[in-house]
């Protein structure tokens, strides 16, 4: 027995619900395989999120190693005694945290220090040849010079004395810092990772709060530790919950896979950074009072042209690494983040079902202009709802895919209806009611061909189907069986189960005329 014949396939393809179902399945498979709406989704996210950023926390400040500082203090990298001196100044005013976004992974090399150490060694060898007093004096001078030239020792001492310096670190293993500067790591109040991965399109949107492996909380990010310090929290107040969320004090952070958190990031406003920046050299030389940083989280990093790292953020602008970290710290302290709600997927599914119902039930009975306007309104409502939730509530519900199904489904049905319309239709504008009334009048006059020409241009409904059925019977009474069959086939495209249409699709010569 033939289950699926070409004729049956043709009847299915003529049904609007089947066309919409086929379009939806194809689009869903493409979405699953290629995620083809992702770029559109991210474009909408970037356009809205980059404009929804509120005023940053006043408890976060940036000291910038900018072009002016490098011009006045010399080429980068600088002697570590400069960093030590700035940390000393900030420690005196009781900042919440000092966060140098700088990697001190290798000992500082100083040729003068090396020679002094060689001289000290030689003095020990010639101890008997020199007078004791002269030797002691020379040893003291050399010892003082060794301390003054040992930038690493100065930096380590300053970090240790400050007690609130959080430094970035490279981790060759999961939790083991690089060994070459381990004394500096031991002197810091905390170590945080500085890995910031942009999305595949090159835009940074997510902060990786934890670098974790199975069964462990993981290495916390530099920004997360800085925010905790700014909120007077300890590292123990950062907890990974069994639900998968990250608890920062009383704030619940809804992290995604890989411990990522969507954070609002913005371009500069009127060319100025979101968080004010002060020049490193101005603070170092006292032209900018260190007292202004009391009680604040101070981010120290490179903003100079072509020296430090930078990231592209939503909106297209590139921000320096300290500017990005400062914004993330501010967001965490203020409880600002963008969440993907658990009910979002159900809202997306509901949107898809509503679009399917509209395309099947409403679109075919609307005139072309009306259909275009209604579809446009629905499209704007979907995208507007996503933008509104993102802008006002920091909630991201992805509705671009249902919007794409609406657009593709509308265009597909429109093209199908256009292709099925006979090419010989008159061009004069007539309303649907006018066409139907004219058809009935022509049928009453016996002009059946002209009546059918009018009726087949009227959208299907039960009343029109009844008119067409009566017209087909009139063709049969006049023994115009081929024309009657054409009417029945036209009706079957809408509903072949209307009355006895399916039976009358068989040759009519042997059937009695009603």
């Amino acid at each position: 027995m033939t289950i699926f014949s070409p004729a049956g396939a043709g009847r299915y393809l003529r049904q609007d619900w089947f066309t919409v179902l086929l379009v939806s399945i194809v689009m869903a498979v493409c979405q699953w395989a290629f995620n083809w709406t992702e770029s559109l989704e991210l474009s909408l996210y970037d356009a809205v999120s980059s404009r929804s950023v509120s005023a940053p926390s006043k408890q976060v400040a940036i000291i910038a190693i900018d072009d002016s500082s490098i011009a006045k203090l010399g080429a980068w990298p600088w002697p570590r005694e400069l960093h030590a001196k700035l940390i000393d100044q900030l420690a005196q005013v009781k900042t919440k945290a000092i966060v140098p976004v700088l990697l001190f992974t290798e000992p500082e090399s100083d040729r003068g220090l090396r020679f002094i150490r060689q001289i000290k060694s030689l003095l020990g060898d010639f101890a008997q040849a020199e007078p004791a007093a002269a030797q002691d004096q020379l040893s003291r001078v050399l010892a003082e010079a060794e301390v003054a030239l040992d930038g690493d020792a100065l930096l380590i001492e300053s970090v240790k004395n400050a007690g609130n310096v959080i430094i970035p670190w490279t981790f060759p293993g999961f939790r083991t810092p690089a060994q070459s500067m381990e004394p500096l790591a031991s002197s810091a109040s905390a170590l945080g990772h500085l890995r910031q991965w942009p999305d595949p399109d090159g835009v940074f949107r997510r902060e990786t709060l934890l670098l974790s492996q199975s069964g462990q909380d993981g290495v916390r990010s530099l920004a997360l530790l800085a925010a905790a310090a700014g909120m007077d929290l300890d590292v123990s107040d950062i907890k990974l919950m069994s639900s998968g969320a990250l608890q920062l004090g009383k704030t619940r952070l809804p992290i995604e896979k890989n411990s990522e958190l969507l954070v609002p990031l913005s371009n500069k406003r009127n060319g100025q950074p979101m968080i004010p920046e002060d020049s490193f050299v101005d603070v170092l030389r006292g032209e900018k009072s260190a007292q202004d940083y009391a009680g604040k989280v101070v981010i120290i990093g490179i903003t100079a042209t072509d020296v430090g790292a930078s990231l592209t953020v939503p909106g297209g602008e590139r921000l320096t690494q300290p500017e990005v970290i400062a914004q993330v710290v501010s967001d965490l302290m203020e409880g600002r983040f963008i969440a993907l709600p658990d009910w979002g997927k159900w809202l997306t599914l509901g949107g898809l079902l509503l679009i399917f119902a509209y395309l099947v039930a409403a679109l075919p009975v609307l005139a072309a202009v009306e259909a275009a306007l209604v579809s446009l309104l629905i499209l704007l409502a979907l995208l507007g709802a996503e933008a509104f939730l993102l802008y006002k509530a920091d909630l991201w519900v992805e509705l671009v895919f249902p919007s794409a199904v609406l657009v593709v489904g509308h265009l597909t049905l429109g093209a199908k209806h256009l292709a099925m319309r006979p090419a010989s239709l008159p061009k004069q504008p007539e309303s649907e009611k006018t066409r139907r009334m004219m058809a009935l009048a022509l049928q009453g006059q016996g002009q059946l061909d002209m009546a059918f020409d009018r009726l087949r241009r009227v959208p299907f409904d039960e009343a029109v189907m009844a008119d067409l059925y009566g017209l087909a019977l009139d063709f049969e009474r006049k023994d115009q069986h081929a024309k009657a069959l054409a009417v029945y086939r036209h009706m079957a495209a809408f509903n072949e189960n209307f009355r006895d249409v399916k039976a009358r699709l068989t040759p009519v010569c042997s059937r009695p005329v009603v």
Side-chain angles (χ1 to χ4, degrees):
M1 182 177 68
T2 302
I3 298 177
F4 189 77
S5 65
R11 286 197 297 272
Y12 275 117
L13 289 174
R14 286 193 294 269
Q15 302 295 321
D16 287 340
W17 67 265
F18 185 78
T19 302
V20 175
L21 179 62
L22 187 61
V23 168
S24 301
I25 291 174
V26 171
M27 292 184 68
V29 171
C30 292
Q31 181 72 5
W32 174 78
F34 308 109
N35 197 11
W36 64 278
T37 63
E38 181 181 28
S39 61
L40 298 175
E41 193 73 68
L42 291 177
S43 295
L44 178 59
Y45 172 91
D46 291 350
V48 177
S49 67
S50 62
R51 290 168 173 80
S52 66
V53 179
S54 59
S57 171
K58 295 182 179 180
Q59 302 305 310
V60 180
I62 299 175
I63 296 180
I65 301 172
D66 53 9
D67 292 323
S68 174
S69 297
I70 289 179
K72 295 176 181 178
L73 296 177
W76 184 262
W78 292 335
R80 289 180 181 172
E81 63 178 296
L82 295 180
H83 302 288
K85 183 178 179 181
L86 181 66
I87 290 174
D88 291 339
Q89 291 176 274
L90 295 173
Q92 291 176 3
V93 300
K94 301 187 183 305
T95 56
K96 286 286 185 70
I98 304 170
V99 189
V101 189
L102 305 164
L103 290 173
F104 301 110
T105 56
E106 297 294 335
E108 184 177 55
S109 176
D110 190 293
R111 298 180 63 187
L113 179 63
R114 178 167 55 86
F115 285 122
I116 287 175
R117 287 175 175 166
Q118 289 178 351
I119 293 172
K120 284 184 65 179
S121 177
L122 291 174
L123 281 174
D125 295 338
F126 294 101
Q128 302 300 323
E130 296 290 339
Q135 181 182 349
D136 289 344
Q137 184 179 6
L138 183 57
S139 296
R140 285 195 301 272
V141 172
L142 289 173
E144 292 174 1
E146 181 181 17
V147 171
L149 291 175
D150 191 350
D152 289 333
L154 292 173
L155 180 60
I156 291 170
E157 186 68 16
S158 296
V159 169
K160 183 178 180 181
N161 291 338
N164 65 345
V165 180
I166 305 170
I167 62 174
W169 211 251
T170 56
F171 295 83
F174 178 66
R175 290 181 178 273
T176 307
Q179 297 298 315
S180 58
M181 283 295 288
E182 198 281 334
L184 178 60
S186 299
S187 65
S189 64
L191 303 178
H193 79 77
L194 194 56
R195 297 185 183 179
Q196 294 175 308
W197 289 284
D199 287 340
D201 61 353
V203 179
F204 178 76
R205 302 179 181 90
R206 298 169 172 86
E207 172 75 8
T208 303
L209 298 180
L210 298 174
L211 286 180
S212 60
Q213 65 181 21
S214 177
Q216 301 190 42
D217 286 350
V219 180
R220 295 156 180 83
S221 74
L222 190 69
L224 178 61
L225 292 171
M231 299 165 69
D232 295 320
L233 301 174
D234 296 325
V235 175
S236 60
D237 294 316
I238 304 172
K239 301 176 182 178
L240 185 62
M241 311 302 290
S242 58
S243 62
L246 188 68
Q247 198 74 24
L248 177 62
K250 296 181 179 180
T251 305
R252 180 181 177 275
L253 303 175
I255 55 178
E256 302 176 63
K257 62 179 181 179
N258 301 323
S259 299
E260 295 175 340
L261 180 71
L262 282 163
V263 287
L265 296 168
S266 179
N267 297 324
K268 299 177 180 179
R269 292 182 176 175
N270 300 321
Q272 297 300 316
M274 286 286 294
I275 297 176
E277 301 175 9
D278 297 315
S279 181
F280 187 104
V281 67
D282 292 342
V283 181
L284 187 70
R285 294 178 177 178
E287 297 174 12
K288 170 69 175 178
S289 174
Q291 190 62 42
D292 293 342
Y293 304 103
K296 296 183 179 181
V297 176
V298 183
I299 311 296
I300 306 170
I302 303 172
T303 63
T305 307
D306 300 328
V307 178
S310 62
L311 294 165
T312 301
V313 298
E317 190 168 351
R318 293 190 68 84
L319 300 182
T320 62
Q321 197 168 40
E323 290 171 340
V324 171
I325 291 176
Q327 284 198 35
V328 175
V329 172
S330 172
D331 290 337
L332 293 174
M333 290 178 63
E334 295 291 315
R336 282 294 311 277
F337 49 81
I338 295 172
L340 293 167
D342 294 335
W343 47 264
K345 58 180 178 291
W346 298 110
L347 184 59
T348 301
L349 179 60
L352 283 170
L353 293 177
L354 287 175
I355 294 303
F356 185 87
Y358 163 72
L359 292 175
V360 171
L363 185 64
V365 301
L366 294 174
V369 175
E370 293 173 342
L373 289 175
V374 173
S375 295
L376 179 60
L377 289 175
I378 296 175
L379 177 65
L380 293 177
L382 287 171
L383 298 180
E386 178 173 351
F388 178 82
L389 289 171
L390 190 57
Y391 188 84
K392 290 294 185 180
D394 290 329
L395 296 174
W396 190 16
V397 178
E398 300 179 357
L399 296 175
V400 168
F401 179 65
S403 302
V405 173
L406 169 64
V407 173
V408 175
H410 181 110
L411 294 176
T412 302
L413 285 181
K416 171 192 168 185
H417 293 163
L418 184 63
M420 293 178 63
R421 180 179 296 174
S424 59
L425 291 179
K427 301 299 182 181
Q428 67 273 18
E430 289 182 307
S431 68
E432 295 168 5
K433 183 178 180 180
T434 301
R435 290 192 187 113
R436 186 181 172 204
M437 297 303 295
M438 180 61 72
L440 294 176
L442 292 170
Q443 183 180 353
Q445 298 171 8
Q447 302 182 52
L448 303 185
D449 290 330
M450 296 181 67
F452 182 39
D453 184 60
R454 292 291 196 286
L455 279 178
R456 64 184 174 182
R457 287 187 285 129
V458 179
F460 285 112
D461 59 23
E462 292 299 317
V464 173
M465 289 287 284
D467 294 341
L468 287 168
Y469 188 82
L471 180 63
L473 294 180
D474 282 352
F475 274 125
E476 290 191 22
R477 293 188 185 97
K478 290 188 176 184
D479 292 329
Q480 296 179 357
H481 302 296
K483 294 181 179 181
L485 188 59
V487 177
Y488 291 133
R489 286 173 177 169
H490 179 66
M491 296 172 66
F494 177 70
N495 183 7
E496 64 179 5
N497 294 318
F498 182 85
R499 298 183 184 177
D500 61 344
V501 168
K502 185 183 293 186
R504 289 183 175 275
L505 285 172
T506 59
V508 298
C509 299
S510 59
R511 287 192 279 102
V513 177
V514 178

